[in-house]
Amino acid sequence: MMYEDVTEARRQANELRTFKALVDNAPDGIIVADTNQVITYANAAMLDMLGYQSLVGMPASAILPPHTLQQMPELTRLALAGGKANVQIDYLRRDGAIITVNAAGLAVFNESGQLIGFATINRDISEQLRLEEERRRMQEQVIAAQQAMLRELSTPLLPIAEQVVAMPVIGAIDSHRAAQIMETLLEGVACYRARIAILDITGVRVVDTQVAGALMRVAQAARLLGAQVVITGIGPEVAQTLMHIGAELTSMIAKPNLQEGIAFALHQRKGDRAMVGV
């Protein structure tokens, strides 16, 4: 009987040494605290993660920032409920830096079923989060660049001749697009010192009150910069719509197509030069 007891004791001791070696050398940080939240164990990975030589005897609050401390009651409740509390929390390093970990927390009981503390297994994901944030920012930059390119392509401004620019508009016009058209056209008028700006809406199939109002505002703004707006490409359906909604196009000159609009602009420019010569 005594021989069996000694053998069992040796077996348990060997298992304990094996378990301790595994925990001590685990790649994830493992930390144990008693019911008073005083640290009773921390493995090498946890010490390296937080920059300490030892944590035993320190209060858990020393390595937890205030916002993580506020999470502790809920994490304790989850652990006591019988399962592992898998959460993302922050730790406070010895140098004051904050690191983020994926933590699996559980309650620790003795052989009698009495609660003796809590343990957490922690995997540092700070670098992973940093890389994810960097990728997110890069994606946002790429998306912004693509959107800027699409805006430029969707509302290109073309210098036709000296002091003459043209902008072909294709597709639907909403409030955002209308603001973009006005911004691009006005920048072009100012940049090229344009006297005539041709706005070709051949590719715009639907013109409602909002679109008509946007066209009026574009023409008025261009005139403030000294440019005359020539609108081209008004098809029968668009003309009927404009008449139906009572849109006033008196601030703009209308031509049936872009070719005639360009011819008009060049003729006007020639006339202006002749007047200056006189």
Side-chain angles (χ1 to χ4, degrees), residues 8-9 25 31 53 58 65 74 88-89 99 107 118 139 161 184 206 211 216 219 226 255 277:
E8 178 62 19
N25 295 281
I31 191 167
Q53 294 295 321
M58 291 177 56
E74 177 62 15
Q88 183 175 299
I89 64 172
I99 63 170
F118 298 92
Q139 287 175 346
T184 304
V206 179
V211 174
M216 299 304 101
K255 293 296 176 181

Side-chain angles (χ1 to χ4, degrees), residues 49 94 98 105 115 135 153 158 162 191 196 203 259:
M49 192 184 300
R94 186 176 185 180
I98 290 179
L115 178 69
R135 281 194 295 269
L153 291 174
L158 310 173
E162 186 179 354
C191 178
I196 299 177
Q259 183 179 0

Side-chain angles (χ1 to χ4, degrees), residues 52-65:
Y52 284 90
Q53 294 295 321
S54 175
L55 287 170
V56 175
M58 291 177 56
S61 58
I63 58 171
L64 298 175

Side-chain angles (χ1 to χ4, degrees), residues 5-79:
D5 289 343
V6 171
T7 301
E8 178 62 19
R10 286 178 177 175
R11 186 187 66 78
Q12 291 180 359
N14 287 333
E15 288 182 351
L16 183 60
R17 280 194 297 272
T18 300
F19 175 75
K20 187 175 186 305
L22 289 173
V23 172
D24 286 344
N25 295 281
D28 293 331
I30 299 174
I31 191 167
V32 181
D34 62 20
T35 54
N36 294 318
Q37 296 299 313
V38 175
I39 299 170
T40 58
Y41 172 82
N43 71 348
M46 195 72 197
L47 294 175
D48 183 62
M49 192 184 300
L50 299 182
Y52 284 90
Q53 294 295 321
S54 175
L55 287 170
V56 175
M58 291 177 56
S61 58
I63 58 171
L64 298 175
H67 59 273
T68 301
L69 285 172
Q70 293 177 0
Q71 295 178 261
M72 287 300 105
E74 177 62 15
L75 298 181
T76 300
R77 185 190 67 78
L78 290 173

